[in-house]
């Protein structure tokens, strides 16, 4: 129980004569029968499978959740009742009444009705709750959910312009950084031109009866833009989400009940995405699952009970779109002269269009996309503009993932090329040397007075926009990232920490798309190690209730038959050596389900992916010699001034790999217990002890009390993992601190070692060391990056070393901000229903303001130092409790929900 299940070390330095004043705001009504408030509880934020009014519920037995509001302190739910309704023959019928259930549970409440929930059907539900005095809330507002259609209901043709069999597309995933003169590169140049062109598809239809409901199910690969009667449907970008298209293909749903007219036209614009990454310009890798293709099904239910289906079939037509080039690594070109006004409206003359081709269906299983879509989330305008030669360079002020939007005027055939990048040359022109070149967008004008445009199917990481050709009249940057809700906020009196938090969160956003990418430009691949090493920071800052399951599905799809989990998922390209097989990366398959359990109290990923976890542990065992695993990348990019980049240098790779092997087994022991696999529990318990013994024999020096090379990561990893024998723990910890002190309170860890170093210090009451290690503006450190005006975290501690300027992999300090400085954590795996508040006022910090939106509501902590007085305001969500540990106090105070204030004297 080491990685996520340990609490912050809780102030073991009690001092006599310290006064604690606890002030809880109570209301007069609390001592009456709630005064005139007949309903002391209010129910808000109803969710089904963690979503509000979802259109695609895949579970046969969905789970429900709600939050409680109250004007009273310490409001606790004692019971609830749920009702579910659906329309049958025009009448709303109750199909489930849970009755009054005596329970405080208000999240993950499982449907257990006798009625089978029908695929494709819409249901409405509401809930009522009672408090401990048996006072009830009013009924909640009615919410809805729709069951996903069955596989048989999803039958429709896949259509496009050319079938894969005719496209001459190379097979396989071994095309990485091909030499232009190679035979393989020549194969990619010789694919059928139509196989990588963006196309329009359209279909007209009419309805002559009153509509009860109309639902669209669509998957346009690689990505699509859907319109109905000339208007875009939805606001997503890059749907459906990336996946291993041989295993899983996501589809989306839209309710268009109120958008249909008597005469209608469906329009779909298709682009390539990673489904069809054929290359062009900058090429990181090439892979294709086929040419652009569309699955579409509109199901209309009329008020008389009859149904009609408009599906993708041979009756659709297609035409080339104005997007003449689109590639994830190369950019996008658009020729506005090729636009066809009204192409997605009823009555358009489609006589020049061609009949679609019925294509071979992709291999993957159609799967509901429940993860929040990528969207345009923020927009920036230029901070400055500079003329560089004949070009104009716009400084947009924020490094981000996304694309520009321009307004431009000129003659038909005039062009504007937009070259984007996160850096500039000395002359002020855009520099793509560290982010993948060449990458650009090119727009050809049609010659109207004012034209507005932005790309659809490609994005890049950039801060600067260089415009060559016609100068745009207006330029904007669209910051595009996953629309999962931001749940955390942190601010304190230390500006280095505030700015570090800002650039880390912006880097997370930039790399939070269909997967957590390493960078938003040169790779855009789902490197897995950062998901668990930065995991708590990700969970504090964003709602990952629907995102983490998608990552686990990517991992299942990527796992090899022998159990290996590759470093990237989806595995679009097969790398070699440690870049495919490194335990620090693959172990995400085991660690992530437990992080999910800890933050949400939901063990479903452990039960659903137990087989994946076990297969990976067994795979690592096959690579071990005498229980020592020796392969991988180790502490990637650990800090050494003369070698800032690459495989672990300060810490032995086998030590890092074997630490992760041990932790994988330790978690599998817990998983076996949770899932009731008693034989596995016995086997892996014994294996864990054997690995621990072998590890200490191989890497621990009893004379020096050091592990490995004595580097910070060498000692921090076994301390964190619980491998160190109790009698040696303090000596190893002392050696770790000594190394930090000898380096002038500077770290020497990297991508992997950072978290283990930071949390080992925090968990052992060494937060003052953490503070000194980060409260400076030298390299290595967050403060050093800020001196260069960085607006996102960089890949290396020194931005001048030439790597990406938009990586969040070194952002592990986020966990310390929330868990230690603000002191917000959860007891065991309660999912923050049982909260622990244990703030750490360290260094010269004067205040911390932080909050975290749990499933139950928002935890808010605001503390400040006033002379020798520590003062804290706390809000605990309703139906939750908190153990509050004040600084320099050993004992805790238990409080219920509501507002609380604390004051204590500190030395």
């Amino acid at each position: 129980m080491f990685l996520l299940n340990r609490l912050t070390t809780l102030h073991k330095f009690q001092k006599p004569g310290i006064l604690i004043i606890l002030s809880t705001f109570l209301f007069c009504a609390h001592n009456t029968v709630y005064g005139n408030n007949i309903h002391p509880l209010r129910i808000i934020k109803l969710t089904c499978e963690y979503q509000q009014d979802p259109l695609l519920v895949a579970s046969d037995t969905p789970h429900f959740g709600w939050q409680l509001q109250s004007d009273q302190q310490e409001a606790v739910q004692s019971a609830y009742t749920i009702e579910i309704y659906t329309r049958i023959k025009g009448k709303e019928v109750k199909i489930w009444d849970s009755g009054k259930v005596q329970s405080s549970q208000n999240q993950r409440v499982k449907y257990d009705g006798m009625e089978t929930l029908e695929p494709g059907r819409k249901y409405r539900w509401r809930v009522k709750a009672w408090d401990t005095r048996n006072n009830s809330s009013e009924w909640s507002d009615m919410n809805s959910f729709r069951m996903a259609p069955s596989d048989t209901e999803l039958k429709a043709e896949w259509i496009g312009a050319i079938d894969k069999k005719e496209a001459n597309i190379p097979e396989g995933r071994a095309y990485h950084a091909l030499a232009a003169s190679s035979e393989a590169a020549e194969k990619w140049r010789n694919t059928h031109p139509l196989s990588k062109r963006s196309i329009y598809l359209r279909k007209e239809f009419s309805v002559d009866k009153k509509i009860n409901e109309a639902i669209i199910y669509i998957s346009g690969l690689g990505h699509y833009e859907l319109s109905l009667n000339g208007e875009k449907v939805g606001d997503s970008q890059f749907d459906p989400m990336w996946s291993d298209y041989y295993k899983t293909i996501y589809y989306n749903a839209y309710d268009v009940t109120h958008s249909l007219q008597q005469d209608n036209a469906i329009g779909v614009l298709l682009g390539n995405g990673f489904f069809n990454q054929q290359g062009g310009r900058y090429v990181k890798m090439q892979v294709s699952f086929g040419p652009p293709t569309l699955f579409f099904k509109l199901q209309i239910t009329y008020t008389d009970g009859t149904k009609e289906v408009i599906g993708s079939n041979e009756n659709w037509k297609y035409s080339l779109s104005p997007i003449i080039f689109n590639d994830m690594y190369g950019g996008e070109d658009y020729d506005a002269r090729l636009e066809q006004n009204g192409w997605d409206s009823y009555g358009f003359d489609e006589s020049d269009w061609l009949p679609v081709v019925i294509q071979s269906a992709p291999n993957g299983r159609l799967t509901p996309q429940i993860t929040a879509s990528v969207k345009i989330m923020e927009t920036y305008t230029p901070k400055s503009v500079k003329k560089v030669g004949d070009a104009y360079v716009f400084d947009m002020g924020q490094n981000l993932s996304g694309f520009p939007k321009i307004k431009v005027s000129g003659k038909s055939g005039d062009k504007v090329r937009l070259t984007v990048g996160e850096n500039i040359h000395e002359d002020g022109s855009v520099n793509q040397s560290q982010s993948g070149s060449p990458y650009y967008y090119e727009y050809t004008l049609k010659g109207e007075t004012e034209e507005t445009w932005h790309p659809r199917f490609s994005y890049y990481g950039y801060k600067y926009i260089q415009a060559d050709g016609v100068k745009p009249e207006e330029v904007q940057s669209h910051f595009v990232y996953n629309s999962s809700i931001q749940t955390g906020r942190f601010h304190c009196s230390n500006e280095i920490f505030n700015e570090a938090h800002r650039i880390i969160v912006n880097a997370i956003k930039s790399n939070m798309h269909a997967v957590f990418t390493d960078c938003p430009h040169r790779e855009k691949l789902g490197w897995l190690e950062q998901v668990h090493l930065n995991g708590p920071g990700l969970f504090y800052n964003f709602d990952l209730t629907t995102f983490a399951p998608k990552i686990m599905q990517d991992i299942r799809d990527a796992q090899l038959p022998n159990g290996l989990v590759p470093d990237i998922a989806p595995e679009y390209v097969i790398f070699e050596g440690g870049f495919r097989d490194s335990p620090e990366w693959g172990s995400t398959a085991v660690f992530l389900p437990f992080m999910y359990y800890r933050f949400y109290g939901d063990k479903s990923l452990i039960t659903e992916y137990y087989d994946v976890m076990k297969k990976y542990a067994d795979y690592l065992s096959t690579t071990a010699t005498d229980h020592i695993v020796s392969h991988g990348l180790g502490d990637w990019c650990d800090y050494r001034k003369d070698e800032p980049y690459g495989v672990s240098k300060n810490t032995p790779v086998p030590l890092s790999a074997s630490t992760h092997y041990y932790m994988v087994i330790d978690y599998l022991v817990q998983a076996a217990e949770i899932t009731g696999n008693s034989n596995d529990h016995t086997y892996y318990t014994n294996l864990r002890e054997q690995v621990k013994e072998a590890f200490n024999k191989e890497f621990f020096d009893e004379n020096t009390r050091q592990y490995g090379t004595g580097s910070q990561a060498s000692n921090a990893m076994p301390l964190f993992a619980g491998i160190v024998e109790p009698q040696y723990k303090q000596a190893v910890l002392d050696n770790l601190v000594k190394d930090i002190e000898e380096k002038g309170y500077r770290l020497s860890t990297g991508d992997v070692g950072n978290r283990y170093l930071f949390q080992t210090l925090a968990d052992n009451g060494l937060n003052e060391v953490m503070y000194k290690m980060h409260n400076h503006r030298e390299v290595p450190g967050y403060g050093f990056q800020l001196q260069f005006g960085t607006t996102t975290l960089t890949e290396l501690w020194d931005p001048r070393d030439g790597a990406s300027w938009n990586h969040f992999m070194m952002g592990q300090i986020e966990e310390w901000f929330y868990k230690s400085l603000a002191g917000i954590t959860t007891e065991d795996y309660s999912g923050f229903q049982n909260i622990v508040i244990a703030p750490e006022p360290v260094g010269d910090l004067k205040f911390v303001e932080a909050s975290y939106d749990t499933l139950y509501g928002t935890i808010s902590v605001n503390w400040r130092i006033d002379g020798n007085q520590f003062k804290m305001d706390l809000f605990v969500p309703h139906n939750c409790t908190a153990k509050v540990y004040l600084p320099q106090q050993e004992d805790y105070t238990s409080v219920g929900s509501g507002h609380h204030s604390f004051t204590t004297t500190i030395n």
Side-chain angles (χ1 to χ4, degrees), residues 13-18 841 867-869 887-888 904-907:
F13 20 86
Q14 185 177 16
K15 297 185 179 181
I18 297 177
N868 67 345
Q869 298 290 297
Q888 301 176 1
T904 185
T905 302
I906 58 174
N907 295 331

Side-chain angles (χ1 to χ4, degrees), residues 78-80 99-105 134:
S78 66
Y80 68 83
K100 187 175 181 180
V101 179
Q102 299 295 326
S103 172
S104 63
Q105 185 178 3
N134 205 34

Side-chain angles (χ1 to χ4, degrees), residues 260-272:
L260 293 184
Q261 305 166 3
Q262 181 176 352
D263 297 318
N264 302 276
I266 302 159
V268 180
L269 174 66
L270 290 182
N272 291 317

Side-chain angles (χ1 to χ4, degrees), residues 131-353:
D131 66 11
T132 53
R133 297 190 178 192
N134 205 34
N135 294 290
S136 72
S137 70
E138 293 182 313
W139 282 105
S140 69
D141 291 338
M142 197 71 84
N143 277 237
S144 68
F145 65 94
R146 182 180 294 275
M147 299 299 290
S150 65
D151 290 346
T152 55
E153 287 182 300
L154 285 175
K155 286 186 177 178
E157 304 283 3
W158 289 86
I159 60 174
I162 184 174
D163 189 53
K164 183 179 180 181
K165 296 174 183 176
E166 311 300 327
N168 199 29
I169 294 173
E171 296 286 343
R173 308 188 191 194
Y175 304 106
H176 171 231
L178 298 177
S181 59
S182 67
E183 183 179 337
E186 184 65 20
K187 288 181 179 179
W188 284 101
R189 285 192 291 270
N190 289 333
T191 61
H192 195 294
L194 195 55
S195 70
K196 52 191 171 185
R197 271 299 302 267
S198 168
I199 58 173
Y200 285 144
L201 300 101
R202 70 184 312 273
K203 169 70 176 175
E204 292 186 355
F205 66 98
S206 299
V207 295
D208 56 6
K209 291 192 287 188
K210 190 173 181 181
I211 295 172
N212 180 45
E213 61 180 23
I215 308 295
I216 288 175
Y217 302 107
I218 180 174
S219 183
L221 303 175
H223 299 301
Y224 69 88
E225 189 170 286
L226 170 67
S227 57
L228 179 62
N229 298 324
E231 299 292 332
K232 182 180 176 180
V233 178
D235 58 354
S236 64
Q237 302 286 328
F238 308 118
D239 268 345
M241 292 200 145
W242 309 338
S243 62
D244 185 328
Y245 302 99
Y246 283 154
K247 304 283 185 66
T248 301
I249 295 171
Y250 291 106
Y251 69 90
N252 308 105
Y254 301 94
D255 188 336
V256 294
T257 304
H258 302 294
S259 300
L260 293 184
Q261 305 166 3
Q262 181 176 352
D263 297 318
N264 302 276
I266 302 159
V268 180
L269 174 66
L270 290 182
N272 291 317
F274 277 116
F275 178 77
N276 188 35
Q277 179 56 45
Q278 294 198 33
R281 300 174 189 164
Y282 168 67
V283 178
K284 171 64 180 179
M285 60 86 185
Q286 289 154 289
V287 64
S288 178
F289 300 85
T293 186
L294 172 67
F295 165 89
F296 181 94
K297 182 175 182 179
L298 167 59
Q299 185 163 298
I300 304 171
T301 304
Y302 296 104
T303 54
D304 64 5
T306 60
K307 295 183 178 182
E308 182 178 4
V309 173
I310 310 296
S312 44
N313 57 29
E314 69 280 2
N315 296 321
W316 289 54
K317 288 192 172 184
Y318 85 91
S319 179
L320 299 180
S321 86
I323 300 174
I324 57 177
F325 175 84
N326 71 106
D327 183 88
M328 272 294 176
Y329 291 125
E332 187 166 316
D333 295 348
Y334 188 96
D335 189 340
R337 297 171 300 178
L338 302 179
E339 289 180 347
Q340 302 182 53
N341 291 333
W343 71 274
D344 52 359
S345 297
Y346 188 85
F348 173 76
D349 182 3
E350 59 180 32
S351 57
D352 291 335
W353 286 41

Side-chain angles (χ1 to χ4, degrees), residues 434-720:
Q434 62 202 36
S435 55
S437 175
Y439 180 103
Y440 57 84
Y441 307 106
E442 189 166 271
Y443 180 79
T444 302
L445 281 70
K446 57 189 169 187
E448 294 185 354
T449 304
E450 182 179 82
E451 302 175 36
T452 302
W453 175 76
H454 69 72
R456 261 65 175 182
F457 300 125
S458 189
Y459 75 92
Y460 199 72
Y462 70 96
K463 180 185 177 187
Y464 300 95
I465 303 171
Q466 177 175 317
D468 290 275
V470 179
K471 181 185 177 184
E473 297 159 11
E474 291 184 21
V475 175
Q476 294 178 332
S477 271
H478 284 324
F479 197 169
V480 179
Y481 54 89
N482 191 277
S483 59
S484 294
I485 296 170
Q486 192 165 347
T487 53
R489 292 151 292 277
F490 176 85
H491 183 69
C492 70
S493 60
N494 185 299
E495 279 308 304
I496 291 177
F497 294 171
N498 292 336
E499 290 300 293
H501 171 66
R502 181 181 61 83
I503 66 173
I504 292 168
V505 170
N506 279 331
I508 292 171
K509 291 176 179 178
S510 296
N511 288 287
M512 189 174 174
H513 284 251
V515 299
F516 282 110
T517 62
D518 58 329
C519 56
H521 31 60
R522 70 169 191 255
E523 291 196 11
K524 299 188 177 92
L525 297 174
W527 294 94
L528 290 175
E529 94 291 357
Q530 57 191 355
V531 176
H532 78 87
L533 293 167
N534 285 275
L538 298 176
F539 278 93
Y540 276 120
N541 280 301
F542 293 94
D543 177 359
L544 301 184
T545 50
T546 62
F547 202 118
K550 195 269 180 185
I551 297 173
M552 289 305 299
Q553 183 63 50
D554 288 338
I555 288 173
R556 178 186 289 284
D557 289 348
Q559 187 173 38
L560 273 61
N562 67 357
L564 165 65
V565 173
D567 291 6
I568 58 171
E571 192 181 27
Y572 291 136
V573 57
I574 297 174
F575 293 126
E576 296 179 349
F579 295 104
R580 191 187 200 198
D581 181 9
S582 191
E584 301 84 356
W585 277 246
S587 57
T588 298
V590 179
F591 299 162
L592 180 59
F594 278 90
M595 290 186 174
Y596 194 79
Y597 186 19
R598 180 163 178 78
F599 273 82
Y600 303 129
D602 181 352
K603 57 189 176 185
S604 62
L605 295 186
I606 296 172
T607 57
E608 183 175 353
Y609 292 95
Y610 180 78
D611 61 321
V612 172
M613 299 161 70
K614 180 180 174 180
K615 283 176 64 178
Y616 184 63
D618 291 345
Y619 167 75
L620 289 180
S621 293
T622 68
T623 71
T625 301
D626 296 328
H627 301 301
I628 299 299
V629 176
S630 301
H631 67 279
L633 302 175
D635 188 11
W636 177 253
C637 291
D638 51 350
Y639 183 70
R640 183 181 288 185
K641 188 175 181 180
D642 57 337
E643 293 183 70
Y645 198 83
V647 176
S648 181
K649 297 167 289 293
N650 301 325
T651 302
V653 168
L655 185 150
S656 177
S658 296
T659 301
H660 286 80
Y661 178 42
Y662 175 85
M663 291 193 291
V664 163
I665 297 167
D666 187 66
Y667 267 119
L668 196 58
V669 170
Q670 299 176 53
E673 183 176 6
I674 289 169
T675 56
N677 288 282
S678 57
N679 290 338
D680 285 353
H681 185 270
T682 301
Y683 173 77
Y684 291 107
T685 298
N686 293 332
L687 180 60
R688 178 179 61 187
E689 294 312 306
Q690 294 167 16
V691 173
K692 181 177 181 179
E693 181 180 351
F695 186 98
N696 283 319
K697 181 180 179 181
E698 178 73 17
F699 299 113
F700 184 58
D701 187 327
E702 290 189 14
N703 295 320
T704 63
R705 304 295 198 264
Q706 301 269 23
Y707 280 87
T709 59
S711 67
Q712 293 169 17
S714 289
N715 286 323
M717 285 184 184
L719 281 166
F720 179 89

